[in-house]
């Protein structure tokens, strides 16, 4: 979870519509794929709201860049369709000394796309680069836990941690492997690879026309077999209405739908004939977070009251059109560490009023807004611009809170200003934001009391001794059952304390042209086997010379 | 002789304007609350104060404002506008220059379209002042002006792109096979993609220009020499199109220069609707990412283009109308 | 330039009547006047006219087509579109009026200074006008609004502060010609101060072109607000403005035409109304028409 904190924000922010990676609980609308022999050919055209910014994974901060870079670069390990960690560039690995040491055995015969062999030196180089303070990366966190990394021979890579670190293995994904021969001794931020990446992955970079399109070609020498599709084209279409029209006009094969598009606009015979829709819970949740240093929100009863006053089902009905579930804590319901038995906050305005009264909030001057010591309960919630789901959520919350006598103003902020001027400086009363979830339950960076400093992720200022202790313990524990217990308890405490009002886990709603075969929804979503998607010869649309 | 000294005077007069433009571009950006720090520096739990300091130094943000301005100005003269704050760290000039041609092309075409439609409209409306034609076109051009551009764009896309399937919805050229096309096919492909954007960016300008032509024509038609020309028995067509229109359109040159910023400003909307990678979109994404160097670069380049446009207009005007360069305009 | 409003009116009432009659003689001007009148009426009596609370959310009835319960349908949160349109008139007109008010005030003051004092004051101010005219206003507005809060007040102020240049030029030209006229010279001889001359003598005579440009400007400001809304930095929901309603509607163009058609038409008709009225006023004040 702490992996990629910046990107997590970004992904939820601007790109909810296009969020397909790492997802569970696939409920495919249709999944009738007859066993046929896959053939090569054709291209897929994907729509994206935003352009990529930097195709070196460790420098990228936005979902589009990661989307593209993910097809070009590989990691030592990856998640399979059932979200198990499996080898990618690493053939196998050994975990030694109680988790303090990991030895990776790398695949042989893998080559970079320019023909140079891949060795453990590349991993070591990537590790050194990501931990170099001069590298402007947001992903150094997990790698700073490493005490020593070494490449004893070209196909062995060893890391030794300062202390046992449970999320260690999963951190060696595609963020960290870089071609040493192209980057050594150079300023990575000004490298050619920023716009002309050279990786090891299933696709090779072809062209990038800024704010227009990015083309990738199948890598014929990919170690795991050449992708069936000849080309991957990402088109950048900034306006969602235009993107949907382009889909209808045949200019796009794959995009993320909004709930309204999914429910209301894609049930025509045209769409049933030409497209397949999928839906699954995305790996993210949206919450209303309180500044716990603020006098209004110091009192647990006030936070609980607000949680009772908000009808989360109404939000899911009105904003997500039912395409999402209520969030009860910082995890999504189908994770193995999700605790279903925590305290819940059903919609109960009476109880909310009672709790507020207990906390001393009463409408004394009769203006419809509760007050205490002459101060009316009026606060401003901040959220980011450009996310219509969040915007609507804020409006529903505002409407409901007014009914229990709380005045909430909404202020939408451009993202950078939001983080720089408000979150980092703690100049906020409440926020509506989201977190992207990883596959590991570790949430140390978001909830530990040592992470409340400026520029750190526990910006609401949550401090709980027991949670602190459990978070550390969770990181040091490898046994799954024991970890589960630890994180179950954390969820109970968070549910009682309500430092956030957890709102919902939205669904990812991709739509893909029907000519693509081989799409098999799994807990990991649909894109895990993208290189095995194919189009029958007679249905192929684009002929690549 | 007079012309050259006029030209020199004009160019010299541009210098303070140029500095004004750079000053405003620079300080508008620095008035914004908070500080322009690159995104990757923010919200990173591992970012220590020393690292932030180093990043600030790297971007030159640790120096006083006037030093930053001087440095930026020095770069500007060499077209070196610094590097973007976005993670790609590209040169600002590269980012702007690769997008300028598209924006200029579309604005140029839409200007042509505006002139081609609005001048005849304005002339006819003036000749037949207060006729039904005059009133109907007045309402029509104002309607075109009054319709929000993005709304019109979407309706047209729906109609031409989806319902009738005649034109592509968005983008600049066909997705596949563009490189293999012959020249003629390429031009055709471009044209198909540009029809809607050019149309949408033009309709808002029709009102201003046709009304301007109309009032300018009305004024000219009242002049004595027109009466003389008519008295001489010249055909009405010749009177209007040869004698009147030429004089009515003279001040047009200045208006053309002044309308450049408005057109480029409109690019923000239609470029993002039609997914066209031009300056408008660059500006918008720079605003959203607080990419100060790109923002300033964009503002200043567009303003300088306008300045040059105005200069050209002035020079053109002076070339056709000798009164201007003898300094008569000062007493206006 | 002869001005229609000469300095010493004889009988106010009669002249007003005559003015109105003359204005209304042009059908286009009349329709402009009617449109603007209806709008102002709607804006003032919005709470009486609107059938529902424009912010009442009803998630069981989202995106419903026009019906007897909701004459113009409901929006993405089940709010009544008619009520929002009516209250939106308030916001859109407010934006138009205040923004134009600011632009006119700034433009008039600077234009008057430049025109009255001439010399270096004139050079400096007009150079500043030239500079401002080089920027696409929307770029400046975007940059400033995105950094500040896109509150309705900021939007009005920024639109106003980027739109005064035309007025300044206009006022300056008026002042240049008026300040040499006999009545100004006369009052100067009588010992009137600069302030008295500017506000007492010249400005009242320059009011006609200012009024015309302000009328035309209202439409422009409403359009600018809708463009900002499209970019997400216009007036923020839940406060309804026609611009943000139209923007919400654009994403549902095919399934909920009512969401974009009505606010779109509202903007269209309003801007048209102001322009027709402005053009009418211009013709009316045009001295050449009074042969």
């Amino acid at each position: 979870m702490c992996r990629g904190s910046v990107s997590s924000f970004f992904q939820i922010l601007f790109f909810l519509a296009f969020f397909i990676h790492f997802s569970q609980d696939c409920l495919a609308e249709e999944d009738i794929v007859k066993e046929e022999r896959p053939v090569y050919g054709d291209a897929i055209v994907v729509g994206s709201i935003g352009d990529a910014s930097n195709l070196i994974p460790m420098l990228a901060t936005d979902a589009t860049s990661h989307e593209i870079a993910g097809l070009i670069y590989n990691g030592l390990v990856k998640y399979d369709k059932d979200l198990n960690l499996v080898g990618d560039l690493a053939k196998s690995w050994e975990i030694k000394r109680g988790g303090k040491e990991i030895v990776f055995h790398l695949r042989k015969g893998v080559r970079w796309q320019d023909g140079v062999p891949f060795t453990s030196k590349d991993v070591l180089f990537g590790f050194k680069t990501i931990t170099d303070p001069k590298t402007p990366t947001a992903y150094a966190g997990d790698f700073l836990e490493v005490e020593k990394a070494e490449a004893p021979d070209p196909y062995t890579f060893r890391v030794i941690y300062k202390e046992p670190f449970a999320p260690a293995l999963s951190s060696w994904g595609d963020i960290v492997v870089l071609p040493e021969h192209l980057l050594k001794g150079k300023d990575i931020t000004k490298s050619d690879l920023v716009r002309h990446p050279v990786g090891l992955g299933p696709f090779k970079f072809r062209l990038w026309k800024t704010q227009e399109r990015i083309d990738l070609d199948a890598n014929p020498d990919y170690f795991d077999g050449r992708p069936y599709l000849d080309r991957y084209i990402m088109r950048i279409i900034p306006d969602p209405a235009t993107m949907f029209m382009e889909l209808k006009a045949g200019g796009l094969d794959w995009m993320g739908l909004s709930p309204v598009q999914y429910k209301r606009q894609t049930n025509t015979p045209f769409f049933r004939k030409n497209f397949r829709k999928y839906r699954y819970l995305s790996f993210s949740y949206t919450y209303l977070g309180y500044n716990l240093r603020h006098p209004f929100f110091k009192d647990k009863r006030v936070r609980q009251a607000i949680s009772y006053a908000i009808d989360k089902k109404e939000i899911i009905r009105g904003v997500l059109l039912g395409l999402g579930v209520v969030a009860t804590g910082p995890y999504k319901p189908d994770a193995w560490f999700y605790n279903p038995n925590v305290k819940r906050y059903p919609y109960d305005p009476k109880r909310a009023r009672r709790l507020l009264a207990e906390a001393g909030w009463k409408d004394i001057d009769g203006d419809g807004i509760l007050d205490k010591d002459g101060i009316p309960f009026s606060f401003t919630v901040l959220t980011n611009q450009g996310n219509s789901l969040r915007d609507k959520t804020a409006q529903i919350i505002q409407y409901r809170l007014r009914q229990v006598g709380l005045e909430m103003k909404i202020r939408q902020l451009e993202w950078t200003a939001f983080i720089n001027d408000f979150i980092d400086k703690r100049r906020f009363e409440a926020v509506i934001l989201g977190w992207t979830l990883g596959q590991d339950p570790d949430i140390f960076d978001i909830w530990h009391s040592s992470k409340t400093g400026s520029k750190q992720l526990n910006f609401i200022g949550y401090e709980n001794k027991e949670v602190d202790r459990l978070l550390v313990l969770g990181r040091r524990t490898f046994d799954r059952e024991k970890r589960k217990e630890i994180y179950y308890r954390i969820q109970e405490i968070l549910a009682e304390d309500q430092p956030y009002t957890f709102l919902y886990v939205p669904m990812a709603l991709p739509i893909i042209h029907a000519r693509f075969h081989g799409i098999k929804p799994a807990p990991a979503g649909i894109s895990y086997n993208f290189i095995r998607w194919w189009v029958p010869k007679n249905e192929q649309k684009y002929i690549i010379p | 002789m007079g012309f050259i000294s006029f030209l020199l005077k004009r160019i010299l007069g541009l210098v303070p304007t140029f500095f004004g433009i750079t000053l405003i571009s620079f300080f508008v950006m620095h008035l914004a609350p908070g500080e322009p720090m690159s995104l990757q520096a923010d919200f990173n739990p591992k970012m220590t104060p020393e690292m932030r300091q180093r990043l600030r130094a790297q971007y030159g943000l640790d120096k006083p404002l006037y030093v930053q301005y001087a440095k930026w100005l020095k770069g500007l003269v060499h077209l070196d506008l610094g590097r973007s704050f976005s993670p790609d760290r590209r040169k600002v000039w590269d980012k702007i220059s690769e997008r300028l041609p598209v924006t200029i092309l579309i604005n140029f075409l839409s200007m042509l379209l505006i002139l081609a439609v609005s001048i005849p409209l304005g002339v006819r409306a003036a000749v037949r002042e207060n006729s039904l034609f005059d009133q109907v076109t007045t309402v029509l051009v104002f309607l075109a002006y009054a319709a929000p551009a993005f709304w019109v764009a979407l309706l047209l896309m729906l109609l031409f792109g989806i319902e009738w399937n005649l034109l592509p919805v968005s983008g600049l050229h066909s997705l596949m096979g563009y490189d293999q096309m012959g020249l003629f096919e390429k031009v055709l492909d471009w044209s198909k993609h540009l029809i809607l954007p050019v149309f949408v960016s033009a309709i808002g300008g029709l009102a201003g220009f046709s009304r301007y032509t109309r009032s300018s024509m009305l004024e000219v038609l009242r002049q004595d020499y027109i009466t003389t020309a008519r008295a001489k028995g010249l055909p009405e067509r010749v009177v209007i199109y040869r004698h009147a229109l030429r004089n009515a359109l003279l001040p047009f040159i200045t208006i053309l220069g002044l309308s450049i910023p408005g057109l480029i400003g409109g690019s923000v909307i239609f470029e993002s609707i039609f997914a066209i990678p031009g300056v408008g979109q660059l500006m918008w994404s720079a605003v959203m990412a607080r990419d100060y160097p790109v923002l300033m670069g964009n503002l200043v380049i567009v303003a300088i283009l306008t300045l040059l446009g105005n200069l050209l207009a002035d020079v053109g005007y002076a070339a056709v109308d000798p009164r201007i360069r003898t300094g008569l305009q000062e007493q206006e | 330039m002869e001005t229609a409003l000469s300095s010493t009116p004889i009988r106010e009432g009669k002249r007003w009547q005559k003015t109105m009659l003359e204005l209304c003689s042009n059908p286009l001007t009349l329709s402009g006047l009617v449109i603007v009148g209806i709008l102002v009426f709607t804006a003032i009596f919005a709470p009486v006219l609107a059938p529902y609370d424009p912010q009442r959310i009803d998630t069981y009835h989202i995106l419903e087509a026009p019906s007897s319960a909701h004459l113009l349908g409901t929006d993405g949160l089940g709010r009544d579109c008619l009520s929002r349109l009516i209250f939106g008139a308030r916001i859109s007109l407010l934006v138009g009026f205040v923004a134009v008010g600011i632009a006119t005030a700034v433009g008039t003051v600077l234009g008057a200074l430049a025109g009255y004092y001439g010399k270096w004051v004139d050079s400096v101010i007009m150079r500043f006008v030239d500079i401002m005219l080089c920027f696409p206003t929307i770029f400046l507005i975007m940059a400033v609004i995105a950094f500040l809060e896109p509150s309705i007040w900021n939007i009005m102020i920024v639109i106003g502060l980027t739109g005064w240049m035309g007025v300044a030029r206009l006022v300056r030209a008026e002042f240049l010609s008026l300040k040499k006229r006999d009545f100004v010279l006369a009052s100067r001889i009588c010992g009137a101060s600069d302030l008295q001359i500017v506000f007492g003598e010249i400005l009242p005579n320059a009011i006609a072109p200012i009024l015309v440009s302000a009328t035309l400007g209202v439409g422009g400001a409403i359009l600018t607000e809708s463009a900002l809304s499209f970019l997400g930095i216009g007036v923020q929901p839940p406060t309804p403005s026609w611009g943000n309603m139209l923007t919400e509607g654009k994403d549902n163009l095919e399934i909920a035409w009512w969401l974009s058609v009505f606010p779109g038409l509202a903007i269209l008709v309003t801007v048209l109304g102001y322009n027709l009225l402005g053009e009418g006023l211009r013709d009316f004040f045009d001295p050449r028409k009074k042969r």
Side-chain angles (χ1 to χ4, degrees), chain A residues 340-361:
Chain A
N341 302 316
V342 300
K343 181 171 176 184
R344 287 175 188 247
Y345 295 82
Y347 178 56
D348 190 345
K350 280 196 198 109
R351 196 150 171 196
R353 276 185 176 275
R354 206 162 58 230
L355 278 163
L356 286 167
E358 274 173 35
W361 291 96

Side-chain angles (χ1 to χ4, degrees), chain A residues 18-70:
Chain A
F18 200 82
F19 189 75
I20 294 145
H21 272 317
F22 305 129
S23 305
Q24 261 188 347
D25 183 35
C26 283
L27 310 158
E29 291 268 291
E30 246 171 293
D31 183 30
I32 319 141
V33 183
K34 277 178 269 160
E35 276 311 308
E36 289 178 88
R37 271 191 79 81
V39 291
Y40 293 103
D42 211 351
I44 189 163
V45 186
V46 184
S48 169
I49 295 273
D51 197 4
S53 60
N54 187 324
L55 296 180
I56 296 179
M58 68 174 69
L59 301 184
T61 50
D62 59 282
T64 311
S65 298
H66 282 294
E67 191 79 33
I68 299 285

